Amino acid sequence: MESSSEGVARVGDGGVVEDPAHMEASAPEAVVPGAVVQEAVVPEKVVPETVATAVAAIAPASLSPSRAGDFMQCPLLYRFRVIDRLPEKPSPAATKGTLVHAVLERLFDAPAAERTAPRAKSLIPGQWDRLRETRPEVVELFADDPEGERLAGWLVEAERLVERWFTLEDPTRLEPAERELFVEAELDSGLRLRGIIDRVDVAPTGEVRIVDYKTGKAPRPEYAEGALFQMKFYALVVWRLKNVVPRRLQLVYLGSGDVLTYDPVLADLERVERKLLALWEAIRLATQTGEWRPRPTKLCGWCDHQAHCPEFGGTPPPYPLPVTLPVRAAESESGAQGRMGPG
């Protein structure tokens, strides 16, 4: 997002994103009026919905990009995570992503001139300690590593991801309006959308850029639309809150050193809203019937719930919610579950 009237980023062939120098930070309401802002330890990016709890099961009441993706991938996975709340083991890759996100967020606490790669790397040990305090379950990742060799290698990998970010963006020329911003909007239908935006930049001209960090590699071009689904979701929420279409959506892939950008138009957000409404209707019907069908894909190999999945000979836990609608009635209304694309 340049300081010119265009107010958009220009990314060269592996070059640094051109950003306005010394953008003024704004109060939360100046960026997304009506947004709910919480500490980063509360929403799903830091404390997943998959952590086991002792609370009684309740029907889904809101939709986030992650949970929408779960249902599109496999309705049964959505049920296990949202309704049954089955525990999942932390993974090294996801935990590393959480750690890197925390470091990049905290780096902006420093004055612009001090936002260097060495300073960013120096934040890693402290943020790792904080992560272990707020999410004790991550300690088990290295329980079988008494000498700390795997942990040391894992932390080096995190350092490399942080270093790579400096080849893609220049934090000395950025003043994010928001970091780790929790937003929530209610559509006219009553559906509540919620999520956490890694970074919100606002140009001097008022144009908004939504930025998300990814610690993996950029997808092939044919899968780019799926990767942008989350960003369009966020853009929809911002539009509904502020009545402004974000100028740019930007995905920063630290694993491969790529920057994927997309400039949405109102029609994009309207399509996403229609898709989410149809998706929510399918979720509502599945909730009422208790019929959550598995959808086998290659991703099943990484699923923690094979022991409960019929596709692997398992049995789901007893359905904890009342069934209020016959399965056949639901099928006639909604068709097959989980077959919607992310466009």
Side-chain angles (χ1 to χ4, degrees):
M1 197 182 299
E2 294 184 342
S3 56
S4 68
S5 59
E6 291 180 342
V8 297
R10 285 186 181 146
V11 184
D13 295 333
V16 174
V17 178
E18 297 294 332
D19 292 287
H22 309 300
M23 280 176 136
E24 292 186 5
S26 305
E29 60 271 18
V31 180
V32 187
V36 179
V37 184
Q38 299 181 357
E39 291 295 326
V41 297
V42 175
E44 70 172 338
K45 273 193 178 178
V46 180
V47 181
E49 296 173 3
T50 54
V51 175
T53 66
V55 299
I58 58 174
S62 63
L63 195 60
S64 69
S66 298
R67 300 294 79 84
D70 286 345
F71 189 84
M72 289 187 289
Q73 175 187 327
C74 174
L76 186 58
L77 174 63
Y78 177 97
R79 177 200 149 169
F80 287 158
R81 286 179 166 169
V82 176
I83 295 178
D84 297 300
R85 294 179 178 264
L86 297 182
E88 294 182 354
K89 296 179 180 179
S91 73
T95 305
K96 189 191 308 170
T98 301
L99 174 61
V100 171
H101 275 74
V103 169
L104 298 187
E105 180 192 3
R106 293 273 68 85
L107 181 66
F108 285 103
D109 290 341
E114 299 177 18
R115 297 170 193 161
T116 64
R119 183 183 182 97
K121 290 194 295 182
S122 74
L123 296 175
I124 291 177
Q127 290 303 314
W128 172 233
D129 289 341
R130 180 175 181 270
L131 186 59
R132 287 185 296 176
E133 291 174 2
T134 57
R135 294 179 57 186
E137 69 273 13
V138 303
V139 175
E140 67 184 71
L141 286 172
F142 304 102
D144 59 347
D145 182 36
E147 302 299 322
E149 294 181 3
R150 283 201 303 112
L151 173 60
W154 183 83
L155 291 172
V156 168
E157 292 171 0
E159 288 184 355
R160 290 172 182 163
L161 293 173
V162 169
E163 282 184 312
R164 184 168 291 149
W165 178 59
F166 286 83
T167 69
L168 304 173
E169 296 191 285
D170 182 357
T172 67
R173 303 183 64 195
L174 285 166
E175 289 298 338
E178 295 294 343
R179 293 169 276 153
E180 293 293 316
L181 177 66
F182 176 68
V183 292
E184 183 176 74
E186 184 171 318
L187 304 182
D188 294 339
S189 65
L191 170 59
R192 283 192 293 123
L193 304 179
R194 60 194 306 178
I196 303 176
I197 302 175
D198 286 347
R199 199 179 83 218
V200 178
D201 299 333
V202 180
T205 52
E207 292 157 313
V208 175
R209 174 173 60 191
I210 297 176
V211 181
D212 196 75
Y213 308 120
K214 300 294 184 185
T215 48
K217 296 181 179 180
R220 297 199 298 267
E222 59 267 32
Y223 297 113
E225 185 62 32
L228 284 169
F229 170 74
Q230 173 188 11
M231 304 302 285
K232 291 180 180 179
F233 185 111
Y234 293 147
L236 170 62
V237 175
V238 170
W239 172 50
R240 282 303 188 185
L241 288 171
K242 195 182 179 185
N243 199 31
V244 171
V245 176
R247 179 66 179 86
R248 170 147 293 189
L249 309 178
Q250 181 167 301
L251 285 160
V252 182
Y253 286 94
L254 305 177
S256 57
D258 295 298
V259 176
L260 175 63
T261 62
Y262 183 81
D263 297 340
V265 296
L266 182 57
D268 291 321
L269 308 188
E270 291 173 336
R271 281 194 295 271
V272 171
E273 182 168 336
R274 289 193 297 270
K275 183 171 291 294
L276 290 174
L277 290 174
L279 189 67
W280 187 247
E281 179 63 13
I283 291 172
R284 185 185 67 82
L285 291 172
T287 302
Q288 292 178 325
T289 63
E291 187 71 13
W292 301 88
R293 302 172 187 169
R295 185 186 179 195
T297 67
K298 294 180 180 179
L299 297 176
C300 291
W302 286 272
C303 184
D304 281 341
H305 307 303
Q306 293 180 7
H308 297 287
C309 180
E311 294 293 326
F312 292 87
T315 302
Y319 191 54
L321 297 177
V323 173
T324 60
L325 189 68
V327 174
R328 289 185 179 179
E331 290 176 346
S332 65
E333 292 185 42
S334 64
Q337 286 183 344
R339 300 289 177 177
M340 304 177 197

